[in-house]
Amino acid sequence: MDPQHPQLTFETRAARVGEWRPPTTPSLVEPIYQSTVYKFTGLDQVDAVQEGRETGYIYYRNGTPNHTTLESAIAGLEGAAAAVVGASGMAVISGMFLSLLRPGDHVLCDRVVYGGTYNLLSKELPALGIETSLVDATDLAAVAASIRPGTRLLHVEAISNPMMQVVDLPALIALAQRHNILLSVDATFATPYLLRPVEMGADLVCHSLPKYLGGHSAAMGGVISGRAELINIIRSKLSLYGATLAPFDAWMALQGLKTLALRMRAHSDNGAYVAQFLARHSWRGHPSVMRVIYPGLPHHQQHTLAQRLFPQGFGGMLSFEVPGGRSGADAFLRALSAIGSISFSPSLADVSTTVSYPAGTSHRLLSEAQRAAIGVTPGLIRLSVGIEDKEDICADLDRALAAMPNPIQAQHNT
Ligand SMILES: Cc1ncc(COP(=O)(O)O)c(C=O)c1O
């Protein structure tokens, strides 16, 4: 017999077990709010919460305390007034385009962006009557010439995936402001540790959360930060489209965020070291790495600009090309896999070093001609340098490169 409810049957008591009372001593780490719905005392309270007069939550799809905590943490680090999280990076990027653009509007996007964004711009948005132009955002005159009366938004990646292109953000911000168009920056590769576009004057900044912000390849999600009025528009659409982040993922991403500064310092130190190692790598006197693309290398096309924009370091992402096209890349990936330490995993920014193959993963849906136009060649490998001992990373890359067929011999044999 339950002494508190002696009159209730077992069935009723069982169905109502587990009422949660917040402890009077708050936990150091926020709990995970794994509840789809919240309780109200009456209609006045529902109205007050709906209208934002009272802090509270109604339904998981519209947000939970875990979402709010992560959003204010990221907005704070970005120097932005507000942020909204969504189910993935693509959820917030599509949510941004779909909520800020109408049929007939025109959007400009850099041509070297993540494959999903590229597809959204080249296929999905035009099918909805939104006109799109892919431009070279390093060519300011070309960007200016592409702006039309209906242009509403310009979207760029601060350090592009996978070509590591760096755009002149201050100049693009000035251009966008002059033409009264919105500028959104995907800063997934840079993170607010290295670059804070909203503080510089951009309207919006977005990230894929499983990358550096979460940092451990465990939590999915996306986030976009900016002015409150823009974020509120995007928030209501993300909720309507049902692109909600799971509270567990929000909670995990928050734990990762706490070590962002430490990790980015280590990723940047190691990234620069490994880029230099690859750039001077040669095998029996013949180059086994044909080109290395890292903003911190002096020969990078935007190196001087990158030095100005990223005084704290250039992050841990780089791309390089092995000889022999797809079969050369496959030989390298197989050699790495046999060594068993650096994983071929088509994501990035984990604490451990991983490699990916853009032509077969992130940029798979592009045609060969589209890939060739932006430099995603069949021999291109994308390397996400982790926070391990840098000599160990180089030793594994060295072993995998040495295990590849001699490129000169391979040429003779074909
Ligand atoms: C630069 C960049 N932006 C956006 C995305 C999309 O993010 P998500 O995979 O979380 O949808 C990715 C994914 O790799 C990315 O690299």
Side-chain angles (χ1 to χ4, degrees):
M1 181 66 65
D2 180 346
Q4 280 174 8
H5 303 288
Q7 76 288 11
L8 294 179
T9 62
F10 184 88
E11 283 78 357
T12 302
R13 286 189 287 120
R16 293 178 184 171
V17 290
E19 182 164 359
W20 184 62
R21 288 179 199 87
T24 52
T25 50
S27 53
L28 175 63
V29 176
E30 182 186 47
I32 300 167
Y33 285 83
Q34 191 59 49
S35 174
T36 58
V37 71
Y38 294 77
K39 301 197 283 190
F40 294 88
T41 52
L43 292 180
D44 285 349
Q45 196 183 21
V46 171
D47 288 346
V49 173
Q50 296 266 24
E51 289 157 19
R53 286 181 282 111
E54 186 177 321
T55 321
Y57 298 88
I58 300 173
Y59 186 52
Y60 172 140
R61 178 159 54 77
N62 308 120
T64 71
N66 296 117
H67 294 111
T68 308
T69 307
L70 182 61
E71 285 164 356
S72 32
I74 295 174
L77 294 177
E78 294 281 14
V84 60
V85 291
S88 64
M90 284 315 295
V92 297
I93 293 171
S94 345
M96 168 184 72
F97 287 130
L98 295 175
S99 51
L100 301 180
L101 301 167
R102 297 278 160 273
D105 284 350
H106 175 235
V107 56
L108 283 171
C109 179
D110 189 71
R111 62 195 189 110
V112 289
V113 286
Y114 169 62
T117 310
Y118 188 100
N119 277 325
L120 194 65
L121 267 293
S122 54
K123 295 191 188 129
E124 301 297 320
L125 296 187
L128 298 173
I130 296 166
E131 294 169 31
T132 64
S133 302
L134 294 164
V135 289
D136 175 1
T138 62
D139 183 345
L140 288 176
V143 178
S146 308
I147 296 174
R148 319 173 189 159
T151 308
R152 299 273 169 263
L153 195 145
L154 166 63
H155 180 76
V156 294
E157 290 181 3
I159 303 177
S160 75
N161 180 2
M163 300 313 297
M164 310 296 152
Q165 175 190 275
V166 175
V167 288
D168 189 345
L169 219 45
L172 289 174
I173 289 167
L175 185 73
Q177 286 173 351
R178 230 177 11 257
H179 291 270
N180 199 21
I181 61 178
L182 296 171
L183 176 65
S184 64
V185 181
D186 182 334
T188 297
F189 278 27
T191 83
Y193 180 74
L194 299 179
L195 186 85
R196 292 181 286 282
V198 168
E199 274 184 3
M200 296 167 73
D203 298 284
L204 293 158
V205 57
C206 61
H207 298 267
S208 166
L209 281 176
K211 312 304 185 311
Y212 287 118
L213 296 195
H216 300 81
S217 305
M220 197 56 199
V223 62
I224 185 158
S225 310
R227 288 195 299 283
E229 78 265 21
L230 289 177
I231 296 302
N232 286 343
I233 297 170
I234 300 170
R235 180 190 299 286
S236 64
K237 285 287 190 246
L238 285 175
S239 162
L240 189 66
Y241 298 147
T244 314
L245 181 66
F248 180 59
D249 290 60
W251 182 90
M252 294 269 282
L254 187 78
Q255 308 319 310
L257 204 55
K258 296 176 188 186
T259 56
L260 179 67
L262 280 176
R263 285 186 287 108
M264 286 315 290
R265 272 208 294 277
H267 282 297
S268 295
D269 283 354
N270 284 0
Y273 190 85
V274 173
Q276 282 159 15
F277 162 79
L278 285 172
R280 41 168 211 272
H281 195 280
S282 68
W283 187 75
R284 288 191 203 162
H286 303 297
S288 50
V289 175
M290 294 162 73
R291 58 173 174 152
V292 184
I293 318 171
Y294 183 69
L297 288 177
H299 70 258
H300 184 277
Q301 278 201 321
Q302 295 93 26
H303 178 60
T304 311
L305 170 67
Q307 280 181 309
R308 183 155 50 87
L309 287 180
F310 304 108
Q312 309 237 59
F314 306 95
M317 295 303 304
L318 61 90
S319 290
F320 63 97
E321 174 126 19
V322 292
R326 184 187 155 92
S327 60
D330 193 41
F332 173 73
L333 294 170
R334 281 171 188 274
L336 260 191
S337 165
I339 295 166
S341 48
I342 296 177
S343 307
F344 170 26
S345 289
S347 187
L348 58 107
D350 192 79
V351 287
S352 68
T353 301
T354 61
V355 279
S356 188
Y357 181 64
T361 62
S362 60
H363 290 66
R364 190 184 186 85
L365 295 180
L366 274 65
S367 69
E368 215 174 314
Q370 285 172 323
R371 282 197 294 268
I374 61 172
V376 178
T377 50
L380 192 77
I381 302 282
R382 193 187 69 197
L383 181 68
S384 170
V385 181
I387 64 168
E388 306 97 320
D389 186 316
K390 51 189 173 227
E391 299 296 351
D392 290 337
I393 303 171
C394 292
D396 288 337
L397 292 171
D398 198 36
R399 282 167 68 198
L401 288 167
M404 289 175 65
N406 179 335
I408 302 297
Q409 261 170 21
Q411 254 170 24
H412 282 295
N413 294 343
T414 49

